């Protein structure tokens, strides 16, 4: 099983990568755009692979191969203090030296002080390895030499002693957690042997006979581990190595102090299996050094270890493991940004960003993932899985708002799916992960209109009908209304359509099945498009306009710019497909003021418009758009939101209620809230208090009929009182009351 497949389950709850505001306007673009408050990306499930190069005392070099760039990057350890003196005369300072091999020369640079020296490889010798201030070469006779730079600019040559007569170094020259020692393998009489070369005096000592040179070789100044055997460096000559301690099928990664480091198991049964384990080579004590560690490991020249670890791909780090008196400790030294997946569509709803795409390395796994946002539009939670395996209807020819998604303000969203017969169904999912409801339309070539909570508008192909699909709590869909297609919008439990007189708009209550309001918007036409959000009604007479917004709260008619637009609470957003400007028109104060919220990438896509290139939160939220880097930039609308209000509610009593069948009321509000629900007896006693935060803009509670003390509430009628406080702190709290029963 590959690592990318093994880590899928570990990554879906990862925290979101949040960067500082980025410039998304091309350098040649004239319009001034809003500065995003944050950027978000759709994170791949597999954590980024980190390939370590040189690793020393002050930092390390690494590459991220998944980015497609071979460029090496540098990371410095925080708080590192360079030594006062560094040079070949002090081998201990070699823990911060990196060597560059040239033609006949080796240049050595001390990373933190900048001290640089150059060695000349003598004629007839060949470079083999370098560690710290020392360079290992081999002459034509097979003899080894240790070279170092001298103070006068010359190169000293120290012949290696201690290799048995007839021994042939077999090309195994390994560095480890030491700048004084180098592992060297040789063959004698057909037997492989591994030993350590003391670079200070050029002496070699054999430790492990029959070593498999392709197996991990790890060592420091205390221990050598190779071929599943352990040898103490200062043991008396002739001391046999002992079997290395094991931990399941974990692999040896390094030696830190007296701790053997093991990680990266071959067989994984759960994300919790991943860890970096230390086993004392002195007394066998086992400790967990890092939880959820996997991926990449490398010894450092100062006797430590680098390891990648984290709970998810978006919360991934490089740790530096160093010895302590009793074991080893680990500290974060680098945050690694998650690899980015392609976003195929997106939605904003009640302070949540929903992104559609494939976060795996395999086809057929397109899904939707959510990220909670704060009132300013900044990420406030991890990337979570919401719905998988969506069978979306194909995009219509020339459609610039595809895929067709509609966020419903209750945590769920609607989309169209086409069956084998070519007919479309409205699907709703996302309220809880991988729960689906559907309602057949009997039509094709249609579009999702608007929708909120349980109701979704479907516009059939031209000529076609128009349906309102109803998805009540916990049930599959049904058709609440079937009518001839006109301009229409759903907000809460009301359907808004053109009236019989010019410019009038009629509200039809989907529960009472009757018209409940008529509004004279002042439109000089029968609107070809209607949108509704809170007290705002948007109308348009066509692509060329005119267009306007009517404020039902103040009976004001406001003229707004023409063009395909998306209505939100107190503003609307439209895209100029020629200049690539995303234009926000603020009309909340009674006059239309337009600004450039963003300049979209000049390279257009087949998918664009709302839910494609950009999206708007109709439920008291902000604006998001895709950048030229494939990320989502978040912009604060800067428009005051409407007071908290109920749009629709489902509060029918449940039998009992019981633990198995609790009372599950739902109040669909117009923006996110924190809520308190009290159940009050006929005598005025509060028998139970429930609290929570809304799912998007929907309040969902659950009462099993129990009292606060844990007993059963007596049979009878109970008053419920819901108090909801707006999450954005704009406007007063909302108080709703009603009754339910216990039987």
């Amino acid at each position: 099983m590959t690592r990318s497949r093994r880590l899928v389950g570990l990554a879906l709850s990862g925290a979101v990568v949040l960067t500082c505001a980025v410039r998304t306007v091309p350098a040649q673009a004239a319009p001034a755009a809003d500065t995003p408050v944050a950027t978000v990306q759709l994170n791949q499930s597999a954590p980024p692979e980190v390939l370590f190069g040189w690793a020393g005392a002050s930092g390390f070099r690494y590459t991220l191969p998944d980015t497609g760039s071979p460029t090496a990057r540098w990371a410095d350890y925080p708080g590192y203090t360079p030594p006062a003196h560094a040079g070949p005369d002090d081998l201990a300072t070699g823990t911060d030296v990196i060597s560059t091999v040239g033609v006949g020369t080796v240049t050595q640079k001390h990373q933190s002080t900048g001290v640089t020296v150059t060695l000349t490889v003598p004629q007839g010798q060949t470079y083999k390895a370098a560690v710290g201030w020392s360079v290992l070469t081999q002459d034509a006779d097979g003899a080894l030499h240790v070279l170092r730079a001298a103070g006068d600019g010359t190169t000293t040559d120290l012949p290696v002693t201690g290799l048995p007569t007839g021994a042939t170094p077999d090309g195994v020259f390994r560095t480890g957690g030491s700048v004084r020692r180098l592992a060297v393998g040789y063959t004698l009489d057909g037997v492989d042997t591994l030993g350590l070369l003391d670079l200070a005096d050029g002496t070699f000592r054999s430790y492990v006979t029959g070593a498999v040179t392709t197996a991990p070789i790890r060592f420091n100044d205390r221990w050598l581990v190779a071929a599943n055997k352990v040898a103490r460096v200062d043991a008396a000559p002739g001391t046999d190595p002992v079997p290395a301690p094991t931990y399941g099928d974990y692999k040896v990664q390094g030696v830190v102090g007296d701790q053997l480091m093991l990680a990266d198991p071959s067989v994984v049964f759960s994300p919790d299996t991943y860890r970096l384990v230390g086993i004392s080579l002195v007394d066998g004590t086992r400790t967990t050094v890092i939880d959820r560690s996997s991926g990449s490991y490398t010894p450092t020249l100062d006797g430590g270890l680098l390891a990648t670890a984290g709970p998810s791909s978006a919360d991934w780090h490089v740790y530096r493991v160093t010895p302590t008196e009793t074991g080893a400790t680990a500290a974060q030294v680098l945050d690694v940004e998650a690899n980015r997946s392609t976003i195929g569509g997106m939605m904003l709803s009640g302070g949540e960003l929903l992104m559609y795409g494939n976060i795996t390395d395999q086809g057929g796994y397109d899904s939707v993932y959510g990220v909670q946002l704060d009132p300013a539009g900044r990420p406030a939670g991890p990337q979570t899985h919401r719905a998988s395996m969506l069978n979306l209807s194909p995009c219509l020819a020339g459609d610039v708002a595809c895929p067709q998604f509609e966020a419903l303000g209750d945590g769920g969203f609607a989309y169209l799916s086409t069956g084998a017969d070519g007919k479309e169904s409205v699907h709703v999912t996302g309220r809880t992960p991988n729960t689906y409801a559907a309602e057949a339309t009997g039509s094709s070539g249609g579009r999702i209109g608007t929708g909120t909570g349980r109701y979704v508008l479907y516009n059939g192909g031209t000529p076609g009908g128009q349906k309102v699909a109803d998805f009540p709590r916990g049930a599959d869909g049904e058709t609440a209304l079937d009518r001839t297609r006109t301009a229409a919008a759903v907000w809460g439990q009301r359907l808004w359509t053109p009236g019989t007189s010019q410019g009038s708009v009629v509200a039809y209550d989907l529960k009472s099945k009757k018209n409940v309001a008529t509004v004279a918007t002042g439109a000089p036409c029968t609107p070809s498009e209607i949108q509704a959000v809170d007290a705002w009604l948007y109308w348009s007479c066509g692509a060329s306009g005119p267009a306007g917004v009517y404020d039902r709260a103040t009976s004001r008619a406001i003229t707004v710019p023409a063009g395909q637009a998306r209505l939100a609470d107190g503003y609307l957003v439209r895209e100029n497909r020629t200049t690539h400007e995303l234009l926000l028109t603020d009309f909340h104060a009674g006059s239309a003021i337009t600004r450039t919220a963003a300049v979209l990438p000049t390279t257009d896509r087949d998918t664009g418009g709302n839910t494609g290139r950009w999206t708007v939160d109709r439920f008291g939220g902000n604006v998001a758009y895709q950048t030229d880097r494939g990320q989502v930039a978040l912009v604060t609308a800067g428009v005051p939101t409407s007071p908290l209000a109920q749009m629709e509610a489902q509060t029918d009593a449940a039998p009992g209620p019981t633990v198995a069948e609790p009372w599950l009321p739902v109040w669909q509000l117009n923006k996110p809230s924190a809520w308190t629900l009290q159940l009050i007896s006929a005598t005025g006693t509060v028998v139970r208090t429930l609290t929570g935060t809304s799912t998007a803009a929907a309040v969902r509670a659950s009462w099993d009929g129990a009292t606060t003390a844990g007993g059963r509430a007596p049979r009878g009628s109970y008053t419920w009182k819901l108090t909801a406080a707006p999450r954005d702190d704009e406007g007063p709290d909302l108080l709703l009351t009603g009754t339910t029963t216990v039987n």
Side-chain angles (χ1 to χ4, degrees):
M1 185 178 294
T2 64
R3 174 167 289 112
S4 60
R5 292 288 293 147
R6 286 191 281 138
L7 288 172
V8 166
L10 186 148
L12 299 184
S13 62
V16 176
V17 172
L18 186 153
T19 65
C20 295
V22 295
R23 179 181 174 87
T24 57
V25 181
Q28 71 275 16
D34 291 353
T35 300
V37 295
T39 57
V40 175
Q41 66 185 37
L42 181 60
N43 297 320
Q44 289 187 5
S45 57
E49 182 182 10
V50 180
L51 297 182
F52 295 114
W54 174 87
S58 66
F60 59 96
R61 181 171 60 185
Y62 68 101
T63 57
L64 300 173
D66 293 340
T67 64
S69 172
T71 303
R73 310 182 187 200
W74 291 92
D76 295 323
Y77 300 138
Y80 177 77
T81 302
H85 166 76
D89 58 328
D90 185 356
L91 294 187
T93 64
T95 56
D96 207 26
V97 169
I98 185 168
S99 296
T100 303
V101 181
V103 179
T105 62
V106 178
T107 300
Q108 299 174 319
K109 179 181 179 181
H110 193 272
Q111 289 301 108
S112 57
T113 65
V115 173
T116 303
V117 298
T118 299
L119 294 81
T120 300
V121 177
Q123 196 74 19
Q125 295 184 18
T126 304
Y127 170 87
K128 292 299 179 183
V131 57
W133 295 111
S134 305
V135 172
L136 183 69
T137 62
Q138 189 172 24
D139 62 26
D141 296 327
L144 301 178
H145 302 256
V146 177
L147 307 182
R148 268 194 294 274
D152 60 0
T154 61
T155 299
T156 63
D157 186 335
L158 178 65
V160 172
T161 62
L163 280 166
T165 302
T168 304
D170 52 14
V172 177
F173 306 106
R174 304 283 175 83
T175 59
S178 168
V179 290
R180 179 170 176 172
R181 291 176 170 83
L182 186 72
V184 176
Y186 68 86
T187 302
L188 181 62
D189 298 329
V191 177
D192 293 331
T193 300
L194 187 74
L196 293 177
L197 170 61
D198 190 327
L199 297 167
D201 59 13
T203 59
F204 175 84
R205 177 177 169 183
S206 301
Y207 284 94
V208 182
T209 301
V212 179
T213 56
T214 56
I217 298 171
R218 300 290 185 263
F219 63 91
N220 59 14
D221 287 326
R222 300 185 187 183
W223 303 93
L224 168 65
V225 182
N228 297 320
K229 296 179 181 179
V230 175
R232 190 173 183 103
V233 172
D234 60 358
T239 303
D240 291 332
V242 299
T246 60
Y247 180 64
D249 59 352
Y250 278 41
K251 305 176 187 65
V252 173
Q253 304 296 344
V255 185
V256 176
D258 290 322
Q259 301 287 310
L260 180 64
M261 296 290 154
L262 301 101
D264 197 17
S266 301
V267 179
V268 177
F269 298 101
S270 74
D272 291 337
T273 306
Y274 289 104
R275 58 178 60 92
L276 179 66
V277 173
I279 299 180
S280 172
L281 295 173
V282 176
D283 59 18
T285 303
R286 189 182 74 219
T287 58
T288 296
V289 180
I290 305 177
D291 289 320
R292 297 187 181 184
S293 178
S294 69
S296 303
Y297 304 89
T298 194
T300 61
L301 292 174
D302 59 351
L305 182 75
L306 295 180
T308 52
S312 74
S313 64
D315 195 5
W316 200 242
H317 314 276
V318 174
Y319 283 78
R320 183 188 185 193
V321 182
T322 54
T324 65
E325 290 185 2
T326 58
T329 186
Q332 288 185 24
V333 291
L334 178 69
D335 299 328
V336 184
E337 182 176 338
N339 291 324
R340 185 170 58 248
S341 291
T342 299
I343 298 173
M346 59 184 182
M347 300 163 273
L348 280 174
S349 176
E352 182 180 35
L353 171 66
L354 300 174
M355 297 175 286
Y356 171 68
N358 187 345
I359 68 170
T360 74
D361 56 1
Q362 300 184 13
Y365 284 87
D366 290 342
S367 303
V368 171
Y369 303 88
V371 174
Q372 292 295 322
L373 308 175
D374 68 15
R378 298 179 295 254
Q383 173 179 304
T384 59
H385 174 246
R386 300 301 292 277
S388 297
M389 309 295 285
L390 307 183
N391 181 24
L392 301 179
S393 293
C395 297
L396 303 178
D399 194 351
V400 296
C402 189
Q404 297 182 41
F405 290 123
E406 178 70 7
L408 303 176
D410 64 350
F413 61 93
Y415 64 95
L416 287 183
S417 184
T418 303
D421 60 356
K423 303 298 184 181
E424 292 170 329
S425 296
V426 178
H427 287 237
V428 169
T429 185
R431 291 169 177 166
T432 56
N434 290 336
T435 56
Y436 300 87
E439 173 64 6
T441 68
S443 184
S444 59
R447 283 195 56 81
I448 292 283
T450 55
T452 54
R454 63 189 286 181
Y455 297 110
V456 181
L457 179 67
Y458 170 77
N459 295 314
T462 304
Q466 189 173 67
K467 298 178 184 291
V468 176
D470 182 10
F471 298 89
R473 173 196 59 225
D476 214 346
E478 58 188 38
T479 297
L481 183 66
D482 194 342
R483 65 189 300 273
T484 302
R485 179 174 176 174
T486 66
V490 168
W491 183 252
Q493 64 191 58
R494 292 186 175 184
L495 175 70
W496 294 89
T497 59
T500 56
S501 60
Q502 178 176 288
S504 67
V505 178
V506 174
Y508 176 83
D509 190 285
L510 294 164
K511 286 187 173 180
S512 64
K513 307 293 184 183
K514 62 182 181 182
N515 293 338
V516 293
T518 300
V519 176
T521 65
C525 65
T526 298
S528 60
E529 182 181 2
I530 296 173
Q531 296 183 50
V533 171
D534 287 309
W536 311 104
L537 286 174
Y538 168 83
W539 56 265
S540 174
C541 293
S544 300
V549 172
Y550 186 83
D551 182 359
R552 293 188 294 113
T554 62
S555 301
R556 289 184 298 188
I558 308 163
T559 300
V560 297
Q564 186 179 26
R566 185 70 163 173
L567 178 66
D569 186 8
Y571 68 97
L572 57 84
V573 174
R574 57 195 169 90
E575 175 186 355
N576 186 319
R577 300 283 288 173
T578 301
T579 66
H580 305 286
E581 291 177 84
L582 194 61
L583 303 170
L584 186 151
T585 299
D586 176 355
F587 51 74
H588 83 278
S591 59
I593 301 175
T594 299
R595 72 176 193 265
T596 300
V599 178
L600 303 177
T602 55
T603 302
D604 208 347
R605 295 171 39 191
D606 292 336
T607 58
N610 184 58
T611 74
R613 288 160 57 84
W614 54 272
T615 188
V616 175
D617 191 344
R618 298 178 299 140
F619 301 90
N622 300 296
V623 181
Y625 62 93
Q626 289 202 51
T627 72
D628 54 3
R629 294 186 58 201
Q631 295 176 311
V632 177
L634 298 155
V635 174
T636 302
V639 180
T641 59
S642 297
L644 200 58
Q646 175 182 297
M647 301 160 59
E648 189 267 339
Q650 302 171 66
T651 59
D652 293 342
T658 65
V659 173
E661 194 172 358
W663 181 50
L664 298 172
V666 179
W667 293 270
Q668 180 62 58
L669 308 184
N670 62 332
K671 62 181 182 179
S673 66
W675 55 266
T676 299
L677 178 65
Q678 292 181 318
L679 283 305
I680 306 169
S681 71
T683 63
T685 301
V686 177
V687 300
R688 187 73 179 272
T689 299
L690 304 171
T691 60
T693 56
S694 61
T695 303
V699 172
R700 299 180 183 276
S702 176
W703 184 42
D704 59 5
T707 66
T708 301
R712 176 75 180 170
R715 181 178 302 178
S717 178
Y718 289 81
T719 296
W720 56 260
K721 183 170 75 172
L722 176 71
T723 303
R727 193 181 67 153
D728 60 10
D729 295 325
E730 291 194 20
D733 292 353
L734 175 68
L735 177 63
L736 301 171
T737 62
T739 60
T740 189
T741 59
V742 172
N743 55 43

